[in-house]
Amino acid sequence: ASASASSSAVPPDIRDAVDEHKNSRKRKLSNDNPSVFEGRGSYNIRQNRELVKREDGFSIWRLDLPVCAEDNGGGGGDPIVEYRNNHRIIFVEKLNKETSHVLSIGQGIIGSAAEEKTRKRVHWESGSSYLLPCSKGIACGWIHKPATAAEDTENEKSDNITSTTTTTTTTSSTTSNAHTEDVVIYSLKASPETLLGMKDKNLDQDVSCWVKLSYELFQQRLAKSSQLQTQDDGGAGKKKENLEDVENVTTDDILLSEEESMAMSLIIELAK
C-alpha cells in the first residue's frame, strides 16, 4: 500500500490525538516562561528539547536548534525560553561557525524590536562547555542564525566587538539554509538546594557515577566563580561558603577549562 493510503487509513480520532499532542507540546514550550511571549498573537517554535536523564535532582537535556532565517518565512524564530532558577552547564556538541551563529535572547517580549535589538552573539566553540550560574528572574534562550556577512556585521556591532578578520565573501549569504545543520547543545541542571543536599550523601555509595561527577563539576566550577567574584569585589565581605549563595555572579556564560569540558562530555555519555 502507498504511504498516502496508509496515512488515510489512520482513524480521525487518532490523527486528532496526535495533532493535539503536538499543539500541547508547543504550548508547553512557550508557557515555560509565559511573560516573554505575552501579547504575542502567535509563535513558531521549531527547536526541540529532550530529557536525556533525571536523577537525584540533576537533569541533562538535549537541545536541537534549527537555523532561523528571514528568507524562510521566519523559520521557527521563536526560541525555547527558561528562567535561570537552576545552575546549568552548557556543552556544545555541534556548532559549525562557518555556517552558523548563535544569539542569546534579548530583553523584553520575544520577537519585539526591543528584544531583537538587545540580542547578543554567544561565541561558543564546538566541544566546549559554559557555566550559567543560577540568576533568578533572568531568562535564557538561544536563536540559531545563518552566518552571513550581513549577520556578522550586525552582531559584532551589537557586541561592541572590533573584528580583525577579513570580510566573508557575499557568496556565504546565498548558501542554502537547507544545508545548515542544527546546532546541538546539552544542558546539565541542578538547583542550589540540590547541591546543598548532596553534602549529606555518600557519593561513592548513594548516587550513580554521572550524578557524582555532575556534583563535583558544579562544586569545582562554582567555587572558582565565587573566588572570582570575591576578587572583583576587592576581597570585601565574607567568602561565600554555601553553593546556594553563588547566584547572580554574572548573566553571561563562563567558559570552562578543557579538562572540565571533557568531564562534562563524559557525564553526558554516562547518562545516555
Side-chain angles (χ1 to χ4, degrees), residues 10-55:
V10 178
D13 56 339
I14 299 297
R15 286 202 303 272
D16 292 343
V18 171
D19 291 341
E20 174 57 27
H21 174 73
K22 292 179 179 179
N23 292 332
S24 175
R25 177 180 171 277
K26 286 187 176 182
R27 288 193 297 270
K28 173 64 169 62
L29 292 176
S30 66
N31 289 338
D32 280 347
N33 194 346
S35 62
V36 298
F37 288 100
E38 186 177 356
R40 289 282 302 276
S42 62
Y43 52 88
N44 183 9
I45 299 176
R46 289 177 52 240
Q47 297 181 359
N48 184 61
R49 177 180 57 193
E50 178 183 355
L51 176 64
V52 177
K53 197 157 190 176
R54 190 200 307 271
E55 188 177 334

Side-chain angles (χ1 to χ4, degrees), residues 117 146 156 181 195 215 220 241 259:
K117 185 177 180 180
E156 286 170 359
E181 294 184 320
L195 298 181
Y215 170 67
Q220 171 182 323
E241 297 178 354
E259 181 180 353

Side-chain angles (χ1 to χ4, degrees), residues 222-247:
L222 288 169
K224 290 182 180 179
S225 298
S226 179
Q227 291 170 5
L228 289 174
Q229 179 69 7
T230 301
Q231 293 172 6
D232 291 342
D233 293 340
K238 182 180 178 182
K239 182 179 178 181
K240 297 175 181 178
E241 297 178 354
N242 294 331
L243 290 178
E244 68 173 348
D245 292 332
V246 185
E247 297 183 7

Side-chain angles (χ1 to χ4, degrees), residues 46-81:
R46 289 177 52 240
Q47 297 181 359
N48 184 61
R49 177 180 57 193
E50 178 183 355
L51 176 64
V52 177
K53 197 157 190 176
R54 190 200 307 271
E55 188 177 334
D56 290 322
F58 292 81
S59 62
I60 296 182
W61 301 78
R62 172 181 168 133
L63 282 81
D64 294 83
L65 313 180
V67 67
C68 163
E70 296 301 325
D71 60 359
N72 197 23
D78 293 325
I80 295 174
V81 180

Side-chain angles (χ1 to χ4, degrees), residues 75 90 132 209:
I90 301 295
L132 278 73
C209 183

